[in-house]
């Protein structure tokens, strides 16, 4: 079993999906990015919605929860949503848990591919799907999502947010914060306002859940950033700073969206930070 400090760690795969390769790599020309991750006939690259479960005794902490099952056939076709081989409840069960065991859900941010599993339809009403959990979101991000904007309209979906707003299960976090011993929340502002990364750590090792700061291994290159990022220069600064900390501290990186790499180390290469020793979480 993978373990850091008193926490046991379990990969929770919630499904595959796809996003436009151009949007995923911003200014990088397609001939370069498709060598790393090839696109399908609609120019989408394959992605995972790979979450992480941390367990210590009765405390059961889930980081993000994928797209969920609320969307219709049109949505699922656009985003190539595929849960035939991996899905949230089946992954929790394989790890030995049920969604009702989850005491805490850390949402890195409120884009649909990170928080959609938080809610489900009961009849025609969207309701919170983790009845025993508190949901931890950065206050600045929650407020930002409530305000809404044209750039993120397709990412902040009312059916994902409204049930949380009225649930009484929302805990709004202000800035960098040690949520529980060994679980640190680190806000970053380039991708959207106040997304939070999660560092799981003890005195000798650290794992950084990189969310959309580093959606795939190909995003370690300084200028390889998502077109979706609201403030790309901020992403470049944050990525450089956190990758340097990772190299200095021997942190491992955990990718939420990479189609093949779950966990890796990071080392300095000729053109900048590079991944090393890619491996699944159970080889932590
Ligand atoms: Zn995002």
């Amino acid at each position: 079993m993978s373990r850091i400090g008193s926490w046991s760690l379990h990969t929770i795969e919630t499904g595959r999906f796809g996003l436009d390769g151009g949007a995923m790599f911003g200014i990088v020309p397609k001939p370069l990015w498709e060598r790393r991750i090839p696109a399908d006939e609609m120019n989408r690259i394959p992605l995972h919605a790979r979450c992480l479960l941390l367990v210590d005794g009765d405390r059961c902490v889930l980081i993000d929860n994928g797209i969920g099952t609320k969307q219709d056939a049109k949505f699922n076709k656009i985003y190539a949503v595929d849960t035939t081989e991996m899905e949230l409840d089946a992954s929790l069960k394989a790890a030995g848990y049920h969604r009702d065991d989850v005491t805490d859900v850390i949402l890195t941010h409120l884009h649909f591919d990170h928080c959609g599993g938080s809610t489900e339809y009961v009849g025609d009403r969207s309701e919170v799907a983790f009845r025993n959990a508190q949901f931890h979101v950065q206050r600045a991000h929650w407020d930002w999502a409530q305000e809404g904007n044209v750039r993120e309209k397709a990412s902040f979906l009312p059916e994902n947010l409204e049930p949380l707003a009225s649930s009484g299960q929302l805990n709004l976090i202000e800035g960098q914060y040690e949520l529980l011993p060994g679980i640190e929340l680190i806000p970053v502002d380039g991708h959207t306002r106040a997304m939070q990364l999660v560092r799981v750590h003890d005195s000798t090792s650290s794992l950084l859940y990189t969310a959309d700061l580093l959606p795939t291994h190909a995003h370690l290159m300084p200028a390889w950033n998502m077109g979706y990022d609201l403030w790309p220069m901020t992403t470049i600064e944050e990525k450089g700073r956190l990758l340097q900390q990772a190299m200095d501290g021997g942190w491992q990186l955990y990718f939420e969206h990479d189609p093949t790499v779950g966990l890796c180390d990071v080392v300095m290469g000729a053109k900048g930070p590079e991944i090393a020793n890619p491996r699944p979480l159970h080889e932590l």
Side-chain angles (χ1 to χ4, degrees):
M1 183 192 293
S2 305
R3 186 170 279 281
I4 294 179
S6 59
W7 296 102
S8 63
L9 286 72
H10 309 265
T11 288
I12 302 296
E13 294 278 8
T14 68
R16 293 193 173 92
F17 68 113
L19 291 172
D20 184 84
M24 284 300 289
F25 288 107
I27 61 166
V28 180
K30 183 174 181 182
L32 293 184
W33 61 252
E34 73 176 350
R35 273 190 236 151
R36 301 287 193 99
I37 305 180
D40 69 7
E41 70 287 353
M42 290 176 68
N43 207 46
R44 296 171 301 198
I45 62 167
L47 298 167
H48 279 217
R50 182 183 296 113
C51 306
L52 181 62
L53 184 72
L54 310 169
V55 181
D56 180 5
D58 291 339
R59 209 75 192 236
C60 200
V61 182
L62 180 63
I63 306 174
D64 282 350
N65 51 38
I67 292 172
T69 55
K70 295 188 303 302
Q71 303 306 332
D72 61 16
K74 182 182 172 193
F75 180 103
N76 290 338
K77 192 173 174 207
I78 290 170
Y79 294 108
V81 177
D82 178 3
T83 54
T84 51
E85 288 175 36
M86 49 185 81
E87 178 267 327
L88 175 65
D89 286 311
S91 295
L92 285 170
K93 189 175 178 190
Y97 301 93
H98 183 271
R99 61 171 64 226
D100 290 349
D101 298 326
V102 175
T103 56
D104 302 85
V105 177
I106 297 171
L107 295 175
T108 61
H109 61 306
L110 297 165
H111 289 166
F112 69 76
D113 51 324
H114 298 258
C115 75
S118 304
T119 55
E120 62 189 356
Y121 279 127
V122 178
D124 59 357
R125 272 174 55 90
S126 181
E127 295 185 359
V128 173
F130 293 85
R131 57 184 177 174
N132 299 317
Q134 267 204 311
F135 290 79
H136 308 282
V137 186
Q138 286 284 322
R139 180 183 296 279
H141 184 67
W142 177 263
D143 291 346
W144 178 253
Q146 296 301 305
E147 207 176 295
N149 64 79
V150 173
R151 278 287 301 275
E152 294 174 281
K153 195 170 192 291
S155 299
F156 293 137
L157 305 181
E159 63 270 31
N160 288 338
L161 305 188
E162 285 167 5
L164 285 178
S166 58
S167 66
Q169 293 171 253
L170 197 55
N171 178 38
L172 297 176
I173 307 280
E174 308 209 3
Q176 191 157 349
Y177 183 61
E178 190 87 356
L179 179 70
L180 291 161
I183 301 181
E184 181 185 31
L185 308 178
I186 304 173
V188 287
D189 288 294
H191 177 60
T192 178
R193 183 152 294 168
M195 173 172 74
Q196 56 188 354
L197 312 183
V198 185
R199 185 171 73 97
V200 187
H201 63 96
D202 64 9
S203 56
T204 55
S205 58
S206 279
L207 174 150
L208 185 67
Y209 189 93
T210 58
D212 278 351
L213 181 71
L214 296 166
T216 77
H217 72 280
H219 290 84
L220 265 69
M221 301 269 277
W224 288 49
N225 299 310
M226 286 197 276
Y228 297 114
D229 286 358
L230 297 185
W231 294 285
M233 291 302 287
T234 304
T235 292
I236 290 171
E237 183 276 317
E238 291 168 339
K239 199 162 75 167
R241 176 165 46 84
L242 282 156
L243 285 173
Q244 189 62 54
Q245 279 183 278
M247 287 185 285
D248 291 346
W251 300 1
Q252 303 162 87
L253 304 181
Y254 187 93
F255 295 113
E256 187 163 5
H257 291 319
D258 196 287
T260 54
V261 182
L263 186 75
C264 70
D265 299 320
V266 53
V267 295
M268 185 54 81
K271 294 180 180 173
E274 293 175 358
I275 67 162
N277 194 20
R279 59 201 183 277
L281 178 70
H282 62 78
E283 294 175 21
L284 179 91

